[in-house]
Amino acid sequence: MAKRRRRRPDNESPHSKRRKLSTVDNSPPVEIESIQTLQKVLTFAHGLDLLTKQGEIPPLLSSNKLLLISTLDIQALRLFLRSITHAEDGDLRLSRRGILLQYLQDEVAAQREGEPACFDHLVKLWGLAGHCDNEEMYPATTALLALFLSTISSSIEFQDYGNRLCHQLTQDDSLKIFEKGLCAHKQKPRIISQSLRLLTEIVSFDGGKAANRVYRQRQITFKRLSTFLSMRSDAERVGLLDKPPIAVRTRALRYLFANIKMQSPSAKREILNQGKIIREVFESIHHDSSTVIQDILAVVNVHIVNDETVPLELKAKIFTEPNLSSIAKLYNYQSRGTLVPHRESNLDRADITSAAHRLLVTLCTQPNHGVKMAQNRWFLSDEINHRAKADQLTTGESSEALRKSQSHTQIENTSLGSFIQNIRPYASILQKDLLLAVFNASPELVPDYFFKKRSFSFEPKLTATWIGYSSFLLSVIQLPVPGRLLNASKGGLPPPVIDVMEHILPQAMTKKIATKCLNKNSDLITLLIVRILIAAFQKFKKVIDCFRQVSQATVPSHVRNLWEEAALDLLIRFSQRIPEMKQVVVAFRSCDEKKPLLREALTYLLSSYYQVLPHIALEANLDISTMISDSFKEESGTGGGTWNTMNNLYLIHLLDIGRCSSSMRWWHKPDNAPLSPFTLILKLCVECHDFDEDGSIQMMMRSIMEAEAIICQHTNSKLYNLLIRSLRMIEPIEGSNIVYGFLDNCFIRLSRRAVHYYEYVNEPHRIERNAISSKSLNKLGLLPLIIMEQWPLYLSSAISSKIKTVTRWLTLYFQELAQMSGENLFLQHILVQIRETTKDKAGQKLLKQAITKLVTENQIDEPLDKEPPSSTVNIAPTIDQVEAQPEVRQQIEFSGPPEEDENHPGLNKWRQMEVEEAITTGAIGQLMLCFSSKYEEIRKQAMLGMQAFMSKLKKFLQYSEKQQIYLLSGEFTETAQALETGLPLPHFASVMAAKALLVLTNPLHPMYSKVNKFLTEGPVWVVDKLPLYWIHRIMYNAPTIDESHYKQVQWLLETMADGLRTAADLELYRRCHVFEPLVSLLGSPFLPSRCKENVVMVLYRCICVNGSSTLITRHGIMSWIRSLNSLNTFSDDGIKVISKATNVGLPVTDKRIDQWSDGTFETVLDIVDAAQRILST
């Protein structure tokens, strides 16, 4: 029979369950306002009679007895402790603190001696709950004890009671309770969390007084700590609750940090040495809340990184590559919203990212934190460098050093090198800054980074990643050159070239990719790649200058050779990695004028080609005269008052190209252009007062005018400023452009026939010779002469209004010129000639007034037809080609060394000639002599001129001797470049090169074969041994052609005489022992008279450069004169030789010489006097 169902009321649901009777009282807890209430709350009842009290909690079983305590009492005690520190009413906080203090005092007074207990009732309940494994009472009482210690930690009057409690809790019985709590299952996080909380308060209380006792029991207190560090709560991880419970990991971190702060240095080192614990701290740190992350970073920075008690080896063990990578994940903290609590503000996220960045920068850039090793691998090992400086390297070690310089070296910062591979510099600015800081502190990591970073393709794509990576590459190239390389002239071996190349232009930027970027149909991609190439050119120039500086320094020869080979290798590698210049030219010509930023960058890149790699740029034959004229057309709408800044830079780069380009035509008028490029720039300098603030264009204009002899070198600044000032005085006049047209015609005329105006001086039928002198031309230049000659041609084609405007400017210019120079007679003659050809009455009146003013102001009373001493224009002498000796021998004119011509016509004279004519007439020889100029600017212009000549010679196919002459020019240029910066080439080298150039044009010359053999000796001449080389090859070796020995000797003597011009040349001759073999030639009875005179000519030039004492005290010149006397050479040419040798003794009248010679000096003078008497008779 089935069981009958219970009848339900009508209003009862069929799914409702029977109500569970509850004994919990929901009444509020008792408020503790007196010591009696506190004592009542802390008194525990035993027995079943307490079950009837309100609000019982589940029973605690211990020894088969039931222990009960009200949850309301727990809550009351918690609220009481919190009110002591968190109550808003100050009086309430004081009263509650007094209640607690009175209770503790009474409790301690009631205890027996030897029982240092505090809160004894609560501690016993905590221990009983732990023994009984009560999952509710144990965490509640543990939290109360932790709250009590936290509350009294800030008050000194509670210090003793807190120490009592800490001592009681660190006893063996209490530690067993902690062990049970720390060994709880992972599913009971509240028990573990509160145990860690109480231990943290014990360690931190009273400055860590009980920390050592806790650490001594580390088998209990540190048990499973690494496991606790990995226990995160899901609510805290993703922010599901507004106030999630504190995770076990957070409690474990606070406990660990408290020990790191409070333990002794030895205990702290042992804790940090536990790699598993440290790894769990950093692992997945990006999943923590912002507060936890900030605490981790702060403790790591203060108590580990900047703590000197932590040894370097331990720091290196802590900050491994995985731990650094975990910290680096914080860079993405603010961009990964699923990993960050939604309640945190963007400001907190930015603070976390910035703090992590500062920590990583400190770790990776400073060598005292265990990550960065104090080593710079730009160079080889310090031991090898030290031995290289001391010149102790063997041949094998030098070869090994050269091999290493051509291969990538392995780094020793392996941990840091592996870590930076995980950094993404294209993803954020801070990651890029970190990587740049690492590269700046450890330059050896740059090549290692790019050699291993092969997964990233730099194919041009207009994406954020590509743009970010290109910006990073640009920043890497812009890093400064290490100071050790800048000071490398002190010695040592060169760094590996393959590694240096990665600093200049990383291998991600290949020639193929750079060409693709230039041809890409995207302005942004092209602009970025151009900026990268410009920065690479700038850095390459700095590095190659450092290499060349070392090769010119006083270092061992094998070390110098290593640096020279490294410099050449670097030049080749850089030339192979950059795009061809024609690709840049194509991109430049296809650039629209409406894109000024890109156009300016492209011109800057072209300018860099010309300035850094002229041997490549000169082959392009880029003529930018039309572009300069077009740039002025674009700015014509501004009225000439101001220039756009970008167009200003664009024009400056064009001018830099024009200054270096051999095909630049400064005086060429493009179609529809009113003026030539030079005159357009001159007009801009006059009209735009704020143009060219740094003065670079003005300096270039002066150098161009000086090169064309329009103005003179030593007065170029004054003459140029005077011309600008005179043009500005007529600027407000309507039609002032007429003056620029007249000047333009004058400039073009001079550029086409420069030599004509030097010869103009010697044509008396054109102008009276007494008006023109070398002094006047050196002061004023050739512009007044050009104006005088062009004036009649201008009158025949100009209208009256134009003539009046130009005449007004002429009068102003000549008056200013006379006031500056004082050459009134010269300027007066010029104005008289101009006035005689002028038919315009207004113009004649202005010119007459100017002439009258010149006469009256300077009081010129001499008649114009008075014949002054004649003089000629000071033009540097040419190098005559050596020819066969004529039958009638001409006498050698003994003269001092020629003075350097301030006009330096050799710089540009060859430009108006064909290649063959420039060589045979000696114009190239004059250009070579400019390499020995005392002015550095002249030497630089000569270098550019020589390179332009070589480029022109390379295209001259009809010249049969082109190969030898090109080889000679190249070797000469390389020799000049190899000299130390700031020093001129010795005159002997430049004169020898000029004479050798003429020898190569004549295959029948006696020196032809020896000059060709000399060119095969090497690409660079050893200047310090050059005179000695030719002495050995000519004097001590047989001639290649019979009966040509003395002709070769004569060629050498003439070269030595012409190459002795300064004291530096004399010092070179002295080091090479030139004088001994020369004077010994006179002992030969077969020596021609011409050779004898050349020997004395060398001695005479030596005296002219203050070398008398050197000849007497070092080279025995007095013994030589006495030997001539003993050989009875007073006949014929011997008398002349000794009479010219008079100059050896006569300039030296110092008593020191007489004492040094022991009286023989007077005997020599008697011999010289006798020779002079014989010569006079």
Side-chain angles (χ1 to χ4, degrees):
M1 183 175 176
K3 185 178 180 180
R4 290 182 298 177
R5 295 183 179 181
R6 182 179 65 89
R7 297 185 61 183
R8 298 190 305 268
D10 296 337
N11 57 353
E12 183 179 351
S13 173
H15 301 289
S16 62
K17 295 182 180 180
R18 184 181 301 175
R19 171 180 288 184
K20 184 178 180 179
L21 299 178
S22 176
T23 59
V24 178
D25 189 0
N26 293 325
S27 61
V30 178
E31 186 174 358
I32 301 174
E33 296 180 347
S34 63
I35 189 173
Q36 293 78 13
T37 309
L38 180 59
Q39 292 174 347
K40 183 179 178 181
V41 169
L42 289 172
T43 301
F44 305 142
H46 299 270
L48 297 176
D49 56 336
L50 300 178
L51 287 174
T52 57
K53 288 187 176 181
Q54 55 181 2
E56 281 79 7
I57 63 174
L60 292 173
L61 299 178
S62 177
S63 302
N64 298 325
K65 296 182 180 179
L66 188 63
L67 175 65
L68 299 171
I69 186 171
S70 173
T71 55
L72 294 179
D73 292 340
I74 295 291
Q75 295 178 15
L77 197 57
R78 183 186 297 113
L79 294 176
F80 170 74
L81 292 175
R82 287 187 178 276
S83 64
I84 295 177
T85 55
H86 296 85
E88 297 180 358
D89 189 355
D91 296 336
L92 180 61
R93 290 198 302 269
L94 291 175
S95 63
R96 298 290 171 85
R97 186 180 294 127
I99 294 172
L100 180 60
L101 181 60
Q102 184 63 39
Y103 172 79
L104 295 174
Q105 291 174 351
D106 295 345
E107 184 183 32
V108 172
Q111 291 176 356
R112 293 191 303 268
E113 186 176 357
E115 293 183 0
C118 179
F119 260 21
D120 188 54
H121 296 289
L122 186 59
V123 173
K124 290 180 179 179
L125 178 62
W126 169 76
L128 189 58
H131 279 295
C132 298
D133 296 330
N134 190 288
E135 298 180 7
E136 294 294 335
M137 188 58 64
Y138 176 77
T141 53
T142 306
L144 276 178
L145 291 173
L147 181 60
F148 172 71
L149 288 176
S150 175
T151 302
I152 66 174
S153 61
S154 59
S155 302
I156 193 171
E157 60 269 18
F158 291 98
Q159 182 176 347
D160 183 60
Y161 306 107
N163 288 327
R164 285 172 174 268
L165 179 59
C166 291
H167 180 77
Q168 185 178 0
L169 293 176
T170 53
Q171 297 302 312
D172 293 341
D173 295 339
S174 300
L175 290 173
K176 292 180 181 179
I177 304 300
F178 277 117
E179 184 177 11
K180 296 187 67 174
L182 296 175
C183 291
H185 195 272
K186 285 186 177 183
Q187 301 299 326
K188 301 175 181 180
R190 188 161 174 258
I191 297 176
I192 300 173
S193 178
Q194 296 303 327
S195 299
L196 292 172
R197 178 185 178 187
L198 181 55
L199 285 173
T200 303
E201 296 296 337
I202 294 173
V203 172
S204 303
F205 190 79
D206 195 12
K209 194 171 183 178
N212 192 25
R213 292 196 297 271
V214 174
Y215 183 70
R216 282 201 301 264
Q217 301 295 330
R218 53 186 174 275
Q219 70 278 6
I220 297 175
T221 55
F222 278 81
K223 193 174 185 179
R224 299 179 67 200
L225 183 58
S226 59
T227 304
F228 300 153
L229 289 171
S230 63
M231 294 175 61
R232 291 182 176 86
S233 65
D234 295 337
E236 186 183 38
R237 180 179 304 206
V238 298
L240 299 176
L241 303 176
D242 291 338
K243 189 176 180 181
I246 298 178
V248 175
R249 171 179 168 80
T250 305
R251 296 291 189 189
L253 285 171
R254 293 176 183 178
Y255 174 58
L256 176 63
F257 294 159
N259 280 276
I260 292 176
K261 296 176 184 178
M262 299 303 175
Q263 296 292 352
S264 62
S266 59
K268 178 179 179 180
R269 287 192 294 269
E270 291 181 8
I271 294 173
L272 295 176
N273 203 25
Q274 300 184 31
K276 191 174 182 181
I277 293 178
I278 299 302
R279 183 172 61 253
E280 290 295 341
V281 172
F282 293 108
E283 189 174 358
S284 302
I285 189 177
H286 55 285
H287 289 296
D288 293 324
S289 63
S290 60
T291 305
V292 174
I293 295 175
Q294 289 175 353
D295 292 342
I296 294 174
L297 297 179
V299 171
V300 169
N301 186 34
V302 176
H303 297 282
I304 299 179
V305 175
N306 295 315
D307 191 352
E308 296 180 357
T309 62
V310 181
L312 189 63
E313 296 78 8
L314 182 55
K315 291 182 180 179
K317 187 176 180 181
I318 294 172
F319 300 112
T320 58
E321 186 269 330
N323 292 342
L324 292 175
S325 300
S326 297
I327 299 176
K329 291 180 180 179
L330 296 177
Y331 280 119
N332 301 326
Y333 190 75
Q334 63 178 5
S335 61
R336 298 176 63 180
T338 58
L339 300 180
V340 183
H342 64 275
R343 65 182 183 279
E344 296 178 357
S345 63
N346 290 330
L347 182 60
D348 293 336
R349 301 172 186 174
D351 291 342
I352 292 171
T353 306
S354 300
H357 174 70
R358 290 193 298 269
L359 177 62
L360 288 174
V361 169
T362 302
L363 290 172
C364 299
T365 59
Q366 298 181 11
N368 57 340
H369 299 316
V371 178
K372 176 186 177 297
M373 299 183 64
Q375 188 176 12
N376 192 324
R377 288 308 298 270
W378 261 67
F379 293 83
L380 302 178
S381 66
D382 293 335
E383 179 184 357
I384 295 180
N385 275 316
H386 179 73
R387 296 185 61 195
K389 293 179 184 179
D391 196 9
Q392 296 176 353
L393 282 183
T394 64
T395 304
E397 289 174 334
S398 298
S399 302
E400 180 68 14
L402 179 61
R403 185 189 64 80
K404 289 183 178 180
S405 68
Q406 297 174 350
S407 60
H408 171 59
T409 56
Q410 298 297 324
I411 62 170
E412 296 186 9
N413 276 325
T414 54
S415 177
L416 186 56
S418 300
F419 163 65
I420 61 176
Q421 292 294 327
N422 299 323
I423 302 299
R424 300 191 301 167
Y426 48 84
S428 66
I429 296 177
L430 289 180
Q431 293 190 64
K432 184 184 78 171
D433 293 343
L434 171 63
L435 204 50
L436 294 177
V438 172
F439 288 161
N440 194 23
S442 303
E444 71 276 6
L445 293 177
V446 175
D448 182 75
Y449 176 82
F450 287 107
F451 275 115
K452 295 178 180 178
K453 201 73 172 179
R454 299 182 181 275
S455 60
F456 188 89
S457 175
F458 198 60
E459 290 291 332
K461 299 176 183 178
L462 196 57
T463 61
T465 301
W466 189 91
I467 294 173
Y469 197 76
S470 62
S471 175
F472 164 67
L473 286 182
L474 177 61
S475 301
V476 170
I477 297 173
Q478 290 175 342
L479 289 174
V481 178
R484 186 174 179 184
L485 183 62
L486 296 176
N487 300 324
S489 59
K490 298 179 180 179
L493 298 178
V497 175
I498 190 172
D499 290 349
V500 175
M501 192 60 211
E502 295 304 311
H503 290 266
I504 298 174
L505 195 60
Q507 62 178 353
M509 175 63 68
T510 61
K511 185 175 184 178
K512 180 179 179 181
I513 290 178
T515 304
K516 283 184 179 181
C517 294
L518 289 174
N519 298 328
K520 197 72 173 178
N521 190 19
S522 173
D523 295 341
L524 182 56
I525 292 178
T526 306
L527 179 61
L528 287 173
I529 211 68
V530 169
R531 291 299 183 194
I532 291 174
L533 292 173
I534 291 173
F537 268 98
Q538 294 173 346
K539 194 165 188 178
F540 171 77
K541 187 176 185 304
K542 293 180 181 178
V543 174
I544 202 70
D545 288 345
C546 294
F547 276 59
R548 291 171 178 170
Q549 181 183 2
V550 179
S551 63
Q552 299 166 7
T554 306
V555 295
S557 58
H558 61 277
V559 175
R560 182 186 298 110
N561 294 335
L562 287 177
W563 281 93
E564 291 175 353
E565 293 177 7
L568 180 60
D569 187 16
L570 182 63
L571 177 63
I572 294 174
R573 289 177 183 271
F574 183 76
S575 302
Q576 293 174 348
R577 190 164 293 186
I578 60 175
E580 296 181 0
M581 186 176 174
K582 63 180 182 180
Q583 299 294 338
V584 184
V585 174
V586 170
F588 172 69
R589 288 175 175 170
S590 61
C591 180
D592 191 356
E593 62 184 21
K594 296 181 181 179
K595 303 172 183 177
L597 189 64
L598 179 58
R599 187 177 62 170
E600 183 272 334
L602 286 168
T603 52
Y604 194 2
L605 180 57
L606 289 174
S607 174
S608 300
Y609 271 92
Y610 276 96
Q611 294 178 5
V612 180
L613 300 175
H615 63 284
I616 295 177
L618 290 175
E619 297 178 356
N621 286 329
L622 179 62
D623 183 15
I624 46 89
S625 56
T626 305
M627 304 171 191
I628 294 178
S629 301
D630 294 341
S631 66
F632 279 87
K633 291 180 182 179
E634 297 172 13
E635 289 292 330
S636 59
T638 62
T642 57
W643 263 61
N644 182 277
T645 304
M646 199 58 60
N647 285 339
N648 187 1
L649 295 174
Y650 169 66
L651 179 60
I652 291 175
H653 300 327
L654 287 178
L655 297 181
D656 289 337
I657 296 173
R659 180 172 53 185
C660 302
S661 176
S662 59
S663 59
M664 175 59 192
R665 296 176 293 176
W666 289 106
W667 321 103
H668 171 69
K669 284 185 181 180
D671 296 338
N672 302 325
L675 301 172
S676 64
F678 177 84
T679 311
L680 285 172
I681 301 168
L682 180 67
K683 182 173 181 287
L684 180 64
C685 295
V686 172
E687 295 178 351
C688 296
H689 299 274
D690 56 346
F691 180 71
D692 188 29
E693 296 179 355
D694 60 350
S696 59
I697 293 182
Q698 305 276 3
M699 185 181 300
M700 189 200 67
M701 295 289 289
R702 289 197 297 267
S703 64
I704 295 174
M705 295 180 73
E706 176 191 337
E708 296 293 335
I710 298 174
I711 58 178
C712 299
Q713 181 183 9
H714 62 282
T715 58
N716 59 3
S717 179
K718 294 181 180 179
L719 290 175
Y720 178 79
N721 294 335
L722 187 146
L723 178 62
I724 295 294
R725 186 167 61 250
S726 65
L727 291 172
R728 283 176 178 170
M729 293 173 67
I730 65 162
E731 182 182 350
I733 302 176
E734 184 179 357
S736 60
N737 290 334
I738 301 171
V739 179
Y740 293 106
F742 172 71
L743 274 176
D744 195 38
N745 292 332
C746 294
F747 294 153
I748 294 175
R749 174 70 175 176
L750 176 61
S751 66
R752 293 174 179 173
R753 301 187 60 186
V755 180
H756 165 74
Y757 290 98
Y758 284 110
E759 299 173 350
Y760 192 91
V761 181
N762 298 321
E763 297 180 7
H765 65 280
R766 302 293 299 271
I767 188 170
E768 297 184 25
R769 291 186 58 188
N770 61 351
I772 301 180
S773 64
S774 60
K775 179 181 178 183
S776 300
L777 292 180
N778 286 337
K779 283 186 177 181
L780 304 178
L782 296 178
L783 184 57
L785 286 179
I786 307 168
I787 293 175
M788 183 189 68
E789 190 192 42
Q790 290 298 308
W791 185 250
L793 301 176
Y794 180 74
L795 293 177
S796 62
S797 60
I799 59 177
S800 178
S801 59
K802 293 184 178 180
I803 296 173
K804 183 178 179 180
T805 302
V806 178
T807 305
R808 183 177 301 177
W809 171 77
L810 281 177
T811 57
L812 293 174
Y813 175 66
F814 276 85
Q815 289 174 4
E816 293 286 335
L817 202 59
Q819 185 177 1
M820 185 274 295
S821 64
E823 295 292 331
N824 303 81
L825 181 61
F826 174 76
L827 296 174
Q828 182 182 350
H829 275 275
I830 298 293
L831 287 176
V832 168
Q833 294 289 329
I834 292 175
R835 183 172 178 270
E836 290 177 355
T837 57
T838 303
K839 298 181 180 180
D840 184 74
K841 294 183 178 181
Q844 289 183 351
K845 184 178 180 181
L846 291 173
L847 292 171
K848 183 177 180 180
Q849 292 175 356
I851 296 172
T852 304
K853 189 173 182 180
L854 288 177
V855 175
T856 55
E857 286 186 358
N858 297 277
Q859 300 179 358
I860 303 178
D861 298 329
E862 294 86 341
L864 298 180
D865 55 356
K866 182 178 179 179
E867 184 72 15
S870 61
S871 59
T872 58
V873 180
N874 185 18
I875 300 177
T878 60
I879 305 295
D880 298 329
Q881 182 176 358
V882 178
E883 299 176 353
Q885 295 294 328
E887 295 181 0
V888 180
R889 182 175 57 86
Q890 297 180 355
Q891 301 293 332
I892 294 179
E893 181 181 355
F894 286 84
S895 61
E899 297 290 336
E900 182 176 353
D901 190 356
E902 298 295 338
N903 291 325
H904 299 93
L907 289 175
N908 298 279
K909 184 178 180 180
W910 66 275
R911 297 180 185 272
Q912 285 79 31
M913 305 177 183
E914 294 294 334
V915 172
E916 187 173 2
E917 181 185 3
I919 296 173
T920 56
T921 58
I924 301 302
Q926 294 186 35
L927 177 62
M928 290 178 171
L929 286 175
C930 293
F931 281 81
S932 300
S933 173
K934 59 185 177 181
Y935 303 107
E936 185 176 1
E937 184 63 29
I938 296 300
R939 298 197 297 271
K940 291 181 179 179
Q941 295 183 33
M943 179 64 71
L944 294 175
M946 202 66 195
Q947 292 172 347
F949 165 72
M950 293 175 64
S951 177
K952 190 175 181 180
L953 176 64
K954 197 174 182 180
K955 301 174 183 178
F956 193 68
L957 303 178
Q958 294 79 14
Y959 196 40
S960 59
E961 308 296 335
K962 180 180 70 171
Q963 295 297 335
Q964 295 101 311
I965 293 177
Y966 186 83
L967 182 60
L968 172 64
S969 303
E971 292 183 5
F972 178 76
T973 305
E974 291 294 329
T975 303
Q977 288 180 341
L979 286 179
E980 185 176 351
T981 305
L983 293 182
L985 191 70
H987 284 91
F988 179 81
S990 56
V991 170
M992 187 277 299
K995 285 183 172 293
L997 188 68
L998 297 176
V999 169
L1000 294 176
T1001 61
N1002 182 14
L1004 299 179
H1005 197 281
M1007 289 295 298
Y1008 185 80
S1009 60
K1010 290 193 175 182
V1011 169
N1012 279 279
K1013 186 176 181 180
F1014 168 72
L1015 295 179
T1016 61
E1017 295 289 339
V1020 179
W1021 305 340
V1022 182
V1023 178
D1024 292 340
K1025 298 180 180 180
L1026 198 59
L1028 192 61
Y1029 171 87
W1030 286 110
I1031 289 175
H1032 281 274
R1033 288 293 182 273
I1034 294 177
M1035 291 187 178
Y1036 302 149
N1037 287 274
T1040 53
I1041 302 176
D1042 295 337
E1043 300 181 357
S1044 63
H1045 174 68
Y1046 287 113
K1047 292 181 180 180
Q1048 296 180 4
V1049 172
Q1050 180 181 339
W1051 182 87
L1052 175 61
L1053 293 175
E1054 290 176 354
T1055 304
M1056 288 187 170
D1058 200 11
L1060 182 55
R1061 302 190 181 189
T1062 62
D1065 300 327
L1066 174 61
E1067 179 63 19
L1068 175 63
Y1069 282 16
R1070 185 194 66 78
R1071 293 197 307 267
C1072 293
H1073 304 285
V1074 168
F1075 298 105
E1076 289 85 348
L1078 290 189
V1079 296
S1080 65
L1081 282 174
L1082 293 177
S1084 173
F1086 305 104
L1087 187 68
S1089 299
R1090 185 62 175 257
C1091 292
K1092 295 180 181 178
E1093 292 179 354
N1094 282 324
V1095 171
V1096 179
M1097 184 63 179
V1098 175
L1099 300 178
Y1100 183 78
R1101 288 283 179 89
C1102 177
I1103 298 167
C1104 293
V1105 293
N1106 300 324
S1108 302
S1109 299
T1110 301
L1111 291 176
I1112 293 174
T1113 59
R1114 290 177 179 262
H1115 301 289
I1117 197 66
M1118 292 192 300
S1119 299
W1120 172 68
I1121 294 178
R1122 285 187 295 175
S1123 67
L1124 291 179
N1125 183 33
S1126 64
L1127 292 174
N1128 194 17
T1129 57
F1130 276 14
S1131 60
D1132 300 333
D1133 295 328
I1135 297 175
K1136 188 174 297 183
V1137 168
I1138 295 183
S1139 66
K1140 291 301 179 182
T1142 302
N1143 296 279
V1144 176
L1146 292 181
V1148 183
T1149 59
D1150 194 353
K1151 294 182 179 180
R1152 181 180 62 87
I1153 299 297
D1154 192 23
Q1155 294 176 358
W1156 176 85
S1157 63
D1158 196 17
T1160 58
F1161 185 61
E1162 296 293 339
T1163 305
V1164 174
L1165 292 180
D1166 294 338
I1167 297 174
V1168 171
D1169 291 339
Q1172 288 182 335
R1173 287 194 300 270
I1174 294 174
L1175 185 64
S1176 62
T1177 57

